[in-house]
Amino acid sequence: CSSDLGDEISGVADLIVALEPQRPQLEILTPGRNGAFEVDSEFQAKCVSHDGRPPANLTWFLDDENIFDGVTIPEVVESHDRNNATLYTVVQGIQRFIRVSDDRRNLICRANHFSYPQGYLDSRIQLLVRYRPQPLPLVKLYGLILGSTGLVNVTIRANPRPLTEWQVAGNTIQQGTRNGRYEAYEPQDLGRGEFNVALSIAGLTLEDTTKEFVLRASNEFGTTDYQVRISSSEAAPAAGLGVGPIIGIVIAVLVILIIIGLIVVARATGRWCFSDNSAPRPSETDTESVENRREPLENFTPRPPPQKLIKPNLSLNAIFKRNKSPSTVKHEALESQTQQSGPNAAGEDDQHPRDSEETVIITDEVTDPKEEDSKPNIVYAELMLKPSPEGKAPPQKTPTEYAEIVYPKTPKVTDAKTN
């Protein structure tokens, strides 16, 4: 090769001429008995595409179904022809177990090569599978008309052709025979291993619908019994829900969601049944007189405050060692002075008579500020009984009486007293 400038350039290139491979050859490696295979038996085959350039690509089919399971890795063998041209042979195998559905289907080996007119060539073998009559679930037939001839049809699969008989209420009707009102027909071949077996019942009665029919089919590979029930009613409804039930379920779910939403809103806002009806009435917070609330101390129970109580953190020492209130100290000092004064004090009492009762105010003090907020607003009044000035004995009653005075809580005001 030369250029316009006179320079020469040389090079080497390999030129490969495509060569159409031969038609693929399909070979069965595990032939069955009399050319047929039994169910669950192992099946092996291989496909060979000879003398192609480049090598062909092999694929497997079972009728129109592409097969990948059990296919081995292809093996490429290189050879040369008389002209020393390189040729390629491809070998690939398949291994699987025979199934009932494989019966009378075509096993296809396809060689794909761009030199073929259609792009590929096939090689195929039909598989014949032998098996006993295949079982079925309970067969239910509906829509038979009472008083007319009822026809019971059952479709079964078997290969080779099965022999059949019917058993009705202890009576056996062989295929192609008649017994009273019952007549059994020969199995009708539907192709691909399917057979229709029929039994006719002349003058169908209601009693016939209560009987149990048994179809027995057998061949050289086994025997299978089929349970059959017949009915004069319409066909059973299809499984699943209709449009109406589905709409009802959707509406019910929506109603439930709405109710749940209303309950959540009512609970959050305190409406309806979630409203707080435990608040005290206005009349219950007013100050009540001592006479109306007088009761013995041992039976007295303080009224709980309307707000939430906080449990005070008190020890036993804090409970039993309380500080004395100023009024209590003053009362104790007054009693001590009375005892020390003796007769002189009695004389002074004669000259200046006093009431027969002395009132001392006792308040329940709280030393802890946090505890003070949680205590109820209660004041106790202690009434001390004294002898009357006429010297009469006081009535027989408890020497000391208490009265509870409940008052609204007011802000603290600290007044400084000047001595």
Side-chain angles (χ1 to χ4, degrees):
C1 177
S2 61
S3 63
D4 297 338
L5 300 177
D7 298 333
E8 293 184 358
I9 302 174
S10 63
V12 178
D14 292 334
L15 181 62
I16 300 176
V17 178
L19 180 63
E20 177 181 325
Q22 300 178 13
R23 177 179 290 274
Q25 297 178 357
L26 180 59
E27 181 182 358
I28 304 298
L29 302 180
T30 54
R33 187 176 59 178
N34 297 327
F37 303 93
E38 296 184 10
V39 175
D40 297 331
S41 63
E42 186 177 8
F43 170 79
Q44 294 182 2
K46 73 175 182 179
C47 182
V48 182
S49 175
H50 292 278
D51 301 337
R53 190 172 54 237
N57 181 28
L58 302 181
T59 54
W60 296 83
F61 292 87
L62 196 59
D63 285 345
D64 296 332
E65 178 185 355
N66 202 339
I67 302 176
F68 300 98
D69 295 337
V71 177
T72 63
I73 298 175
E75 179 183 359
V76 179
V77 180
E78 183 176 330
S79 61
H80 300 276
D81 59 5
R82 292 177 299 177
N83 299 325
N84 202 26
T86 304
L87 302 176
Y88 299 95
T89 299
V90 182
V91 180
Q92 190 177 37
I94 185 172
Q95 180 179 356
R96 66 198 307 265
F97 290 94
I98 296 296
R99 307 171 185 174
V100 174
S101 58
D102 296 338
D103 184 33
R104 304 188 188 187
R105 299 182 71 178
N106 293 315
L107 179 65
I108 301 173
C109 173
R110 176 171 295 176
N112 300 278
H113 201 275
F114 60 87
S115 62
Y116 289 137
Q118 296 182 353
Y120 65 88
L121 283 178
D122 291 344
S123 179
R124 63 183 61 199
I125 295 177
Q126 187 181 43
L127 301 178
L128 297 178
V129 182
R130 296 178 179 270
Y131 50 91
R132 70 183 183 91
Q134 296 300 294
L136 293 175
L138 176 64
V139 179
K140 297 181 179 180
L141 302 176
Y142 296 89
L144 279 74
I145 301 175
L146 296 178
S148 62
T149 300
L151 193 61
V152 180
N153 292 288
V154 179
T155 300
I156 62 175
R157 297 196 64 178
N159 190 23
R161 185 188 187 94
L163 296 175
T164 61
E165 65 180 23
W166 291 87
Q167 296 179 2
V168 182
N171 299 321
T172 302
I173 305 100
Q174 299 288 342
Q175 65 180 36
T177 63
R178 184 185 184 93
N179 186 351
R181 297 185 299 116
Y182 304 101
E183 182 179 1
Y185 297 96
E186 296 281 348
Q188 181 182 0
D189 191 353
L190 303 178
R192 303 185 65 89
E194 293 186 347
F195 297 88
N196 181 66
V197 184
L199 174 70
S200 65
I201 306 173
L204 183 67
T205 63
L206 185 61
E207 183 182 359
D208 292 329
T209 60
T210 62
K211 296 179 181 179
E212 182 176 350
F213 296 81
V214 178
L215 169 63
R216 174 167 295 177
S218 59
N219 59 15
E220 57 184 289
F221 295 98
T223 302
T224 303
D225 290 343
Y226 304 91
Q227 305 293 328
V228 182
R229 298 286 179 86
I230 63 175
S231 175
S232 60
S233 60
E234 296 295 331
L241 297 177
V243 178
I246 293 177
I247 295 176
I249 292 175
V250 172
I251 294 176
V253 171
L254 292 177
V255 171
I256 292 174
L257 293 177
I258 293 174
I259 293 175
I260 294 175
L262 292 176
I263 292 175
V264 172
V265 173
R267 185 179 180 86
T269 58
R271 297 181 180 178
W272 304 324
C273 58
F274 297 99
S275 62
D276 189 5
N277 296 325
S278 61
R281 298 179 181 178
S283 60
E284 295 179 354
T285 60
D286 295 337
T287 304
E288 298 180 3
S289 62
V290 177
E291 292 79 1
N292 295 334
R293 302 295 304 274
R294 183 176 299 173
E295 57 183 346
L297 182 60
E298 56 272 16
N299 298 329
F300 170 73
T301 302
R303 181 183 301 275
Q307 66 274 13
K308 181 178 181 181
L309 296 178
I310 301 176
K311 182 179 181 181
N313 187 12
L314 298 177
S315 62
L316 294 177
N317 293 332
I319 295 175
F320 294 101
K321 293 184 179 181
R322 288 180 175 271
N323 296 329
K324 296 181 179 180
S325 63
S327 59
T328 306
V329 175
K330 181 178 178 180
H331 174 66
E332 292 178 353
L334 180 60
E335 288 183 348
S336 176
Q337 182 179 0
T338 303
Q339 293 177 359
Q340 293 176 2
S341 61
N344 293 331
E348 293 177 359
D349 290 338
D350 295 337
Q351 297 176 2
H352 304 282
R354 293 179 297 178
D355 296 336
S356 62
E357 294 182 355
E358 181 177 356
T359 303
V360 179
I361 304 300
I362 302 175
T363 61
D364 188 6
E365 293 188 355
V366 179
T367 59
D368 190 357
K370 296 182 179 179
E371 183 181 359
E372 182 178 0
D373 296 336
S374 62
K375 286 290 185 176
N377 304 324
I378 301 175
V379 176
Y380 299 93
E382 180 179 356
L383 306 180
M384 303 297 298
L385 301 180
K386 292 182 177 297
S388 61
E390 291 79 10
K392 296 181 180 179
Q396 297 297 326
K397 58 172 63 178
T398 304
T400 304
E401 295 182 358
Y402 292 87
E404 175 190 352
I405 302 175
V406 181
Y407 65 95
K409 185 175 181 179
T410 57
K412 285 186 176 181
V413 179
T414 304
D415 296 336
K417 294 184 180 181
T418 305
N419 294 331

